[in-house]
Amino acid sequence: MKSLKKQNHELADTLIQLKVLNRATEQGVKLPAFTQKLQDINLFPLRPTQLEIFQVNVGKMCNQVCKHCHVDAGPDRKEIMTRETMQLCLDAIKNSTIGTVDLTGGAPEMNPDFRWFVEEISKLGRQIIVRCNLTIIMANKKYRDLPEFFKKHQVHVVSSLPYFSAARTNAQRGDGVFEDSVAALKLLNAVGYGQEGSNLVLDLVYNPSGAFLPAAQQGLENEFKKKLREGFGITFNNLFAITNIPVSRFLDYLLQSKNYDAYMEKLVNAFNPGAAANVMCRNTISVGWDGYLYDCDFNQMLNLKVAGTAPQHLREFNVASLSNRSIILNQHCYGCTAGAGSSCGGTTA
Ligand code: SF4
Ligand code: SF4
């Protein structure tokens, strides 16, 4: 399977994605603008709170080509953050009080400078999150020691596992992904991740396999814990239930399966003001592989940079002027505010 970009798919063009997100439904119904919803609850313009999380997308290269990937990642994507840009990240982090650096991709571990970057962030004494897709650990011998490497730097590992069964996981993420994920989870457990009494945190991320909202996070966590423990002897800390955001390959899936209108209506109808107040873009800044700044990873994939009043690139990074910006919003934002809300750390309401 190829990325949308490699296929020259029209949705690889972010302007076309935004056009789809803003058009009327097939019945001619114009969905309310997300900004209007925020205005109704006095949250517009949406302002950042304190900057706590510096999320870096170190590249779009990935060993997987998941059907719902909002990054349109895959082995054919060559966009990779250079060491020079990583150095700009380190300078920005050093000169700030940001507590957490969250590394994502693609498969962040495939960036040739990934380990150097983790070591340097670690020297700055900040908490590091790595969004590890699990299968990368099994993909090649050179990645097999990642659990030890993560342990050495007290990395908080957050890993996607769409379901506790092979059929549902492999349907979404590819053949053999469930089996490799189980093997990788066992290696992480073996060095202490997700074990009782250990401070090595291993969290899992669940996302629905189709055009529906996730069930309650706590119930899913209990079910995953039971099934993974009983079936495979695997333990983990928390499960984050996230909503699929209608961007990139998930948007393509919605359109292909003729679920797009119904899904958007579902998100709009489930708008939750409590979740809106806690959207992750308020305490996070997202950095692209080329050093440009975004309000979140979804805006990054839609090429919606931070507002023009704020620094656009790491070279001009400045926490004070970023704090004064208005967050850029569009119709995909309904994915963050539906039901119990959704963020990189799970539900928000
Ligand atoms: S969802 Fe994650 S693991 Fe899957 S292709 Fe995208 S970046 Fe890779
Ligand atoms: S999609 Fe991004 S900008 Fe929109 S509400 Fe969610 S986190 Fe904020």
Side-chain angles (χ1 to χ4, degrees), residues 273-292:
N278 294 325
V279 282
M280 64 180 169
C281 45
R282 301 192 81 182
N283 71 348
T284 302
I285 195 80
S286 157
V287 183
W289 66 275
D290 50 3
Y292 281 94

Side-chain angles (χ1 to χ4, degrees), residues 62-66 68-71 73-74 105-107 133 160 173 249:
C62 191
N63 58 315
Q64 292 184 188
V65 196
C66 305
H68 296 174
C69 182
H70 74 274
V71 179
N133 70 13
S160 286
R173 291 172 85 80
R249 294 212 288 262

Side-chain angles (χ1 to χ4, degrees), residues 41-349:
I41 56 168
N42 293 322
L43 261 184
F44 185 78
L46 186 66
R47 299 283 190 193
T49 51
Q50 176 144 3
L51 180 55
E52 292 167 348
I53 302 172
F54 190 87
Q55 188 174 62
V56 189
N57 193 310
V58 298
K60 299 187 181 186
M61 190 181 284
C62 191
N63 58 315
Q64 292 184 188
V65 196
C66 305
K67 274 189 189 149
H68 296 174
C69 182
H70 74 274
V71 179
D72 192 26
D76 60 46
R77 299 301 301 262
K78 306 297 178 213
E79 301 92 329
I80 279 287
M81 184 176 274
T82 61
R83 196 179 275 216
E84 289 70 34
T85 306
M86 287 178 177
Q87 187 58 56
L88 292 176
C89 290
L90 294 167
D91 295 342
I93 298 160
K94 196 168 18 184
N95 296 322
S96 75
T97 57
I98 292 163
T100 301
V101 182
D102 183 338
L103 303 181
T104 188
E109 302 88 342
M110 290 178 86
N111 183 308
D113 290 310
F114 169 76
R115 294 194 193 212
W116 174 82
F117 195 32
V118 169
E119 283 159 6
E120 294 300 312
I121 302 164
S122 187
K123 285 183 198 160
L124 298 177
R126 313 301 164 105
Q127 171 67 58
I128 304 168
I129 295 174
V130 172
R131 297 192 179 264
C132 170
N133 70 13
L134 294 174
T135 60
I136 190 68
I137 296 174
M138 310 309 296
N140 186 302
K141 268 199 197 131
K142 68 179 177 182
Y143 299 121
R144 213 57 56 78
D145 66 334
L146 277 169
E148 284 87 4
F149 176 77
F150 292 150
K151 178 180 181 172
K152 184 172 172 207
H153 296 286
Q154 298 284 298
V155 167
H156 172 175
V157 177
V158 179
S159 292
S160 286
L161 189 70
Y163 212 59
F164 44 74
S165 75
R168 260 169 81 168
T169 299
N170 293 349
Q172 188 181 128
R173 291 172 85 80
D175 286 345
V177 165
F178 183 74
E179 294 75 7
D180 280 351
S181 300
V182 164
L185 285 168
K186 286 184 175 173
L187 291 180
L188 286 162
N189 277 172
V191 301
Y193 271 97
Q195 302 282 17
E196 213 172 307
S198 148
N199 55 0
L200 298 170
V201 182
L202 170 61
D203 292 332
L204 296 184
V205 177
Y206 158 88
N207 65 301
S209 55
F212 54 93
L213 293 178
Q217 182 167 274
Q218 190 58 56
L220 281 167
E221 180 180 297
N222 296 344
E223 209 180 352
F224 266 68
K225 281 197 165 160
K226 187 170 183 289
K227 297 282 185 188
L228 289 178
R229 192 182 52 244
E230 288 175 1
F232 309 96
I234 288 167
T235 55
F236 66 94
N237 297 96
N238 309 292
L239 182 113
F240 303 149
I242 64 165
T243 302
N244 288 310
I245 306 291
V247 168
S248 192
R249 294 212 288 262
F250 189 66
L251 179 59
D252 180 43
Y253 158 80
L254 290 171
L255 293 168
Q256 296 278 344
S257 63
K258 307 221 176 302
N259 275 306
Y260 174 73
D261 287 346
Y263 188 69
M264 288 306 288
E265 277 167 12
K266 211 175 281 177
L267 295 184
V268 173
N269 292 336
F271 179 79
N272 177 350
N278 294 325
V279 282
M280 64 180 169
C281 45
R282 301 192 81 182
N283 71 348
T284 302
I285 195 80
S286 157
V287 183
W289 66 275
D290 50 3
Y292 281 94
L293 303 174
Y294 304 85
D295 298 298
C296 72
D297 206 51
F298 303 114
N299 281 11
Q300 184 177 143
M301 298 316 148
L302 286 169
N303 198 23
L304 298 170
K305 295 190 178 70
V306 287
T309 52
Q312 300 286 291
H313 192 275
L314 275 175
R315 281 187 296 267
E316 302 100 39
F317 190 82
N318 180 300
V319 175
S321 42
L322 281 167
S323 307
N324 283 327
R325 77 192 194 279
S326 298
I327 292 164
I328 302 293
L329 305 161
N330 211 296
Q331 297 301 77
H332 64 295
C333 297
Y334 276 116
C336 293
T337 57
S342 181
S343 74
C344 285
T347 56
T348 54

